[in-house]
Amino acid sequence: MLQLTKRTEYGLLALVHLADREGAVASVREICERYPLPKRTVAEVLKDLQHAGLVDSTRGSSGGYTLARAPEQVTLGDVVRALEGAPPLTTCESPIVLKGGGCEVQPMCPIKSPIQRVRERLWQMLEHTTLRSLVSSGPHVSLGAPGAVESN
Amino acid sequence: MLQLTKRTEYGLLALVHLADREGAVASVREICERYPLPKRTVAEVLKDLQHAGLVDSTRGSSGGYTLARAPEQVTLGDVVRALEGAPPLTTCESPIVLKGGGCEVQPMCPIKSPIQRVRERLWQMLEHTTLRSLVSSGPHVSLGAPGAVESN
DNA sequence: TCCAAAGCGCACCCAAAAGGTGCTAATTGC
DNA sequence: GCAATTAGCACCTTTTGGGTGCGCTTTGGA
Ligand code: SF4
Ligand code: SF4
């Protein structure tokens, strides 16, 4: 389907939160207190983002996550790649060789290369959408002073 | 997932074939003899395309499908809409009201409107990719004279 | 020293979607 | 009438996505 997964949404929300925190660590609990999201799943997503090198983690009682790069350096494409894996758009032309030998239509397929062009343009779009642009545009109600509020 | 379904691929291949036929009817059997595709599923897809008004059907022993519009008038977006239904990209902002009241994050969601902009650009892209451009670009081995070859 | 709060890892379950099939009509040319 | 074709609907199977259970490790602070 032509749709982002919830995992990707969770990841984006978490990253936006981290970007707001400007380098301060933010725990999963903190994120889930700000947005009504399933805590465990968000934790899973953050872990994946950590593996992808998009966030750094610190363990221990006052641990949490921080952005690993500046918000300008993180793109929607990075997040999708980290959380949804391979980006094939069609079943052929996926980077990894697929079991079964791939698509039988391939040798005579008239739509393969046009579709690939579409895919490339789509990914260009995703790569050009930075976390910074997400943070600065939306309605995005401001937090209180960093580290001050968060009543719960 | 950010990926087209097989149904959409089948639909595109079928439409390309119909475009080649230039107004002549083509049966599901004929299409599946040209491309190694599961006959029944392709039939199902064609039926959906018919409901969406993209193809016309004629029943009976020498029946089949024909393009309902010129190849320039059919876009990738039309096909996706016909075969994958609603195009939300996120779970909020889908045209229909969803059960459960929709996303709880919505009132404070910082990524909603940026994501929608991405969605719009994506669909612009899909709407600007016509069936004609698919037919004329790919490797697309030419058929014999229309109605002549097709040995099987 | 101990405990609570956080992340880590893995496996597992449940629901939804995608892909595909069975079967039975209805239509139409030969 | 017969064979080829589309129409309609229901059903199954596999895959994917979303979400949890449970125990472990790390670390700061009471
Ligand atoms: S070769 Fe053509 S039909 Fe096969 S997966 Fe690629 S685009 Fe789809
Ligand atoms: S989190 Fe934001 S973008 Fe995602 S569904 Fe909710 S309101 Fe829409």
Side-chain angles (χ1 to χ4, degrees), chain B residues 45-119:
Chain B
V45 168
L46 263 301
K47 199 175 48 180
D48 289 348
L49 290 178
Q50 197 269 328
H51 282 141
L54 294 183
V55 299
D56 292 326
S57 68
T58 39
R59 299 168 63 156
S61 81
S62 66
Y65 295 94
T66 59
L67 276 187
R69 319 180 200 158
E72 298 82 21
Q73 309 278 59
V74 182
T75 73
L76 228 185
D78 293 327
V79 180
V80 172
R81 241 194 314 275
L83 298 178
E84 307 191 10
L89 184 61
T90 53
T91 42
C92 64
E93 208 62 23
S94 79
I96 50 173
V97 185
L98 18 112
K99 79 285 180 187
C103 179
E104 289 296 327
V105 185
Q106 193 140 352
M108 70 203 88
C109 180
I111 65 174
K112 183 179 169 186
S113 63
I115 290 268
Q116 284 182 2
R117 266 202 309 282
V118 171
R119 191 192 91 248

Side-chain angles (χ1 to χ4, degrees), chain B:
Chain B
M1 239 211 301
L2 211 44
Q3 179 177 327
L4 298 175
T5 64
K6 286 216 173 87
R7 287 170 53 87
T8 303
E9 267 185 63
Y10 297 164
L12 288 174
L13 288 170
L15 289 173
V16 167
H17 185 80
L18 292 185
D20 285 336
R21 283 310 193 199
E22 280 284 346
V25 294
S27 66
V28 171
R29 182 185 47 77
E30 182 184 316
I31 295 174
C32 290
E33 278 165 356
R34 180 152 177 220
Y35 305 111
L37 304 176
K39 190 170 172 181
R40 280 294 304 285
T41 307
V42 172
E44 217 67 22
V45 168
L46 263 301
K47 199 175 48 180
D48 289 348
L49 290 178
Q50 197 269 328
H51 282 141
L54 294 183
V55 299
D56 292 326
S57 68
T58 39
R59 299 168 63 156
S61 81
S62 66
Y65 295 94
T66 59
L67 276 187
R69 319 180 200 158
E72 298 82 21
Q73 309 278 59
V74 182
T75 73
L76 228 185
D78 293 327
V79 180
V80 172
R81 241 194 314 275
L83 298 178
E84 307 191 10
L89 184 61
T90 53
T91 42
C92 64
E93 208 62 23
S94 79
I96 50 173
V97 185
L98 18 112
K99 79 285 180 187
C103 179
E104 289 296 327
V105 185
Q106 193 140 352
M108 70 203 88
C109 180
I111 65 174
K112 183 179 169 186
S113 63
I115 290 268
Q116 284 182 2
R117 266 202 309 282
V118 171
R119 191 192 91 248
E120 279 164 22
R121 280 204 281 166
L122 167 61
W123 278 90
Q124 278 177 16
M125 200 164 97
L126 295 181
E127 302 285 3
H128 285 134
T129 306
T130 70
L131 181 54
R132 166 66 63 202
S133 71
L134 291 191
V135 173
S136 54
S137 45
H140 184 251
V141 287
S142 74
L143 309 169
V149 198
E150 298 301 318
S151 60
N152 37 7

